[in-house]
Amino acid sequence: MRDIGYTLESALADVIDNAIAAGATDVHIYVDTTTPNVKLGIIDNGSGMSRTELLSAMRLGSRNPRNGRATGDLGRFGLGMKTASFSQCRRLTVVARKGGVASAAVWDLDHVASTDQWELLTPDHIEDIPFVDQLTGDGALVLWERMDRAIEQQASNAALRHFVQRLDESRSHLELVFHRYLAGERGRRRVRILLNALPLNAFDPFHASHPATLKGQTEIVQVAGEEVTITPFTLPHHRNVTKAEWEHYARPEGYLKTQGFYLYREGRLIVHGTWFGLARQAELTKLCRVRIDMPATLDSQWHVDVKKSFARPPLQVRERLQRLIGEIGAPSRRIYERRGRTLYEAKLPMWSRVQADNAIVYRLNGENPMLSDFLLSLPTSHRANFERLCRVISASLPMDALFADLAGSPDAVKHEALDDALFGDLLRRTLAALAAKGVEPRLIPPMLRAAEPFRSNWERTEDMLDAINGEAN
Ligand SMILES: Nc1ncnc2c1ncn2[C@@H]1O[C@H](COP(=O)(O)OP(=O)(O)OP(=O)(O)O)[C@@H](O)[C@H]1O
Ligand SMILES: [Mg+2]
């Protein structure tokens, strides 16, 4: 039972589920790492439990998963509190207070092992239990001691540091999992969660507050008379957000791995960053995240597991998602392709993007004024050679390296800088070529703006245009 696969963060989330189900508005996680025997307490101000309720709650399988639950109840199996706790510690104490009356019960796995009896302990001196002074009104305290799984016993400094780092990671996991409760979205009670007195901040994986985020149509699928809602989002392109925002929404795993469906059960995130095997996590769809909301009443259709970290969509939903995926990818793909297309249409750029027969080829553009001028300046005997050289350069574009660099750190990939003389020369030749083609002057700036290197040096281009126009007048 200790090995069903919880992590520190999924175990914490399971205990917090119970607090939320009990109507808590405040959940405090306290971790004492000052003694070698690390202790962790989770305290809520929910409804608490009477002594009888507590004794029943300590049973494994205290509830029947087939029995219905009140809406907003995040539990299902009657297992979570025990399995989550045992995955992290050898001694679980629960103190519950209801109507001012406190009761306590303890599962001590060492006691169970030495006596070979499943004997629940009921301590007499509740006031001596660590963190119990923080349980001021009705509510519950879940205490983990002898945390042999989270941290090695006789903790070395290195083990302790590792544990503190795991706590940090758990914080950001909980900020994601409970973000809709932390933010207090409409129709949902707001819950504050604090780790060692530091409040958690809601992390919205859809960055819905940003104007450049594209929110798609919400769809509703009926499953066994209940509604599942599906809303696709496309996150802003990195050019539309600050570097800090881009990093923040990438999460440590990066955009590629965090694309996919985000499945919420009663507003609590249970699965994320997967296409449920219906599509690959591709570079082109890395900005797509799709919100799916399901009610707890559909647990068995979705095969939700004890840890609340696995689920599989029922057939009706799968079919709908499969069809959606094609369309879902489209806005994200557009964000990336727009640049390529405008450049191509303008015919100014040094590189042209040619699309044919399901292939995209980048080629040095013979119509570019600088290239065509140069070609004409060559003695005829050299022209064929130059054209051959251009074709070889086009064929040697280091695509894998570009792709990897852009995927890894898009901000760090830059064009080589051009000095003013060269840049000015290029601009003059381009203007002359456009004039020779009879392009209307007012159309020239937008054309330049769409083509490199003017596009990424736009201020400089404008300054030079002003200077050139000044000379002309
Ligand atoms: N913080 C709490 N406040 C009040 N009651 C609680 C609290 N924690 C647990 N309980 C009670 O204990 C019961 C058992 O909790 P447990 O997490 O083991 O199972 P569950 O929540 O019913 O289902 P699941 O296995 O899906 O988590 C709950 O159903 C609830 O009645
Ligand atoms: Mg539970």
Side-chain angles (χ1 to χ4, degrees), residues 44-324:
D44 70 67
N45 65 348
S47 60
M49 285 174 269
S50 67
R51 187 182 149 81
T52 324
E53 287 168 333
L54 173 62
L55 296 184
S56 146
M58 295 301 273
R59 276 178 47 195
L60 287 148
S62 56
R63 303 275 293 263
N64 185 339
R66 294 181 191 191
N67 290 349
R69 298 262 184 153
T71 38
D73 190 344
L74 300 176
R76 167 159 154 77
F77 295 98
L79 284 172
M81 182 172 75
K82 285 77 68 175
T83 48
S85 301
F86 294 155
S87 78
Q88 303 301 310
C89 72
R90 299 189 65 80
R91 186 179 162 93
L92 159 68
T93 306
V94 182
V95 182
R97 187 184 284 121
K98 191 172 197 173
V101 183
S103 1
V106 178
W107 275 127
D108 188 319
L109 295 184
D110 292 318
H111 179 77
V112 172
S114 66
T115 59
D116 210 10
Q117 301 276 345
W118 281 94
E119 188 185 7
L120 186 71
L121 309 174
T122 47
D124 295 328
H125 298 287
I126 293 180
E127 65 282 2
D128 295 341
I129 295 171
F131 304 120
V132 82
D133 50 326
Q134 305 288 336
L135 184 65
T136 46
D138 280 1
L141 156 65
V142 173
L143 170 68
W144 295 346
E145 288 171 287
R146 273 182 256 135
M147 298 184 60
D148 61 335
R149 289 292 169 91
I151 182 167
E152 284 158 47
Q153 292 304 281
Q154 303 308 317
S156 65
N157 276 342
L160 209 57
R161 268 203 306 278
H162 178 70
F163 176 67
V164 171
Q165 192 190 331
R166 296 281 298 111
L167 273 177
D168 271 346
E169 289 159 14
S170 301
R171 158 187 290 277
S172 80
H173 177 79
L174 298 173
E175 291 181 327
L176 170 63
V177 164
F178 294 107
H179 74 94
R180 293 162 75 178
Y181 287 93
L182 288 165
E185 67 175 21
R186 199 162 354 121
R188 208 176 292 288
R189 171 170 33 97
R190 182 160 182 196
V191 181
R192 299 200 315 148
I193 305 175
L194 302 94
L195 175 56
N196 280 339
L198 215 66
L200 270 56
N201 300 311
F203 175 86
D204 170 20
F206 311 109
H207 204 176
S209 61
H210 198 281
T213 298
L214 302 178
K215 183 176 175 197
Q217 280 285 322
T218 295
E219 288 204 40
I220 297 176
V221 183
Q222 295 281 340
V223 180
E226 303 275 350
E227 289 185 351
V228 174
T229 59
I230 305 167
T231 313
F233 291 85
T234 305
L235 298 179
H237 190 275
H238 75 89
R239 289 189 204 269
N240 296 329
V241 291
T242 64
K243 194 168 176 0
E245 283 176 310
W246 177 257
E247 295 290 331
H248 184 59
Y249 286 91
R251 305 202 53 84
E253 306 93 299
Y255 285 97
L256 194 63
K257 297 229 175 78
T258 48
Q259 65 181 295
F261 295 116
Y262 284 64
L263 174 65
Y264 293 81
R265 173 178 178 273
E266 304 291 337
R268 186 266 217 225
L269 183 64
I270 54 177
V271 184
H272 73 282
T274 169
W275 291 115
F276 293 132
L278 299 171
R280 265 185 310 133
Q281 289 188 307
E283 183 64 26
L284 268 182
T285 48
K286 74 175 183 185
L287 298 180
C288 296
R289 295 178 184 176
V290 180
R291 188 171 74 200
I292 306 178
D293 276 294
M294 62 166 281
T297 39
L298 290 178
D299 278 346
S300 61
Q301 282 87 347
W302 284 81
H303 307 279
V304 172
D305 74 334
V306 174
K307 305 191 297 292
K308 315 292 181 317
S309 54
F310 173 84
R312 188 154 33 95
L315 197 64
Q316 304 93 304
V317 179
R318 261 185 115 73
E319 285 173 347
R320 189 63 154 266
L321 294 179
Q322 180 82 74
R323 267 185 292 129
L324 262 179

Side-chain angles (χ1 to χ4, degrees), residues 6-18:
Y6 281 95
T7 56
L8 177 60
E9 59 252 29
S10 62
L12 285 170
D14 214 329
V15 175
I16 296 172
D17 278 349
N18 290 342

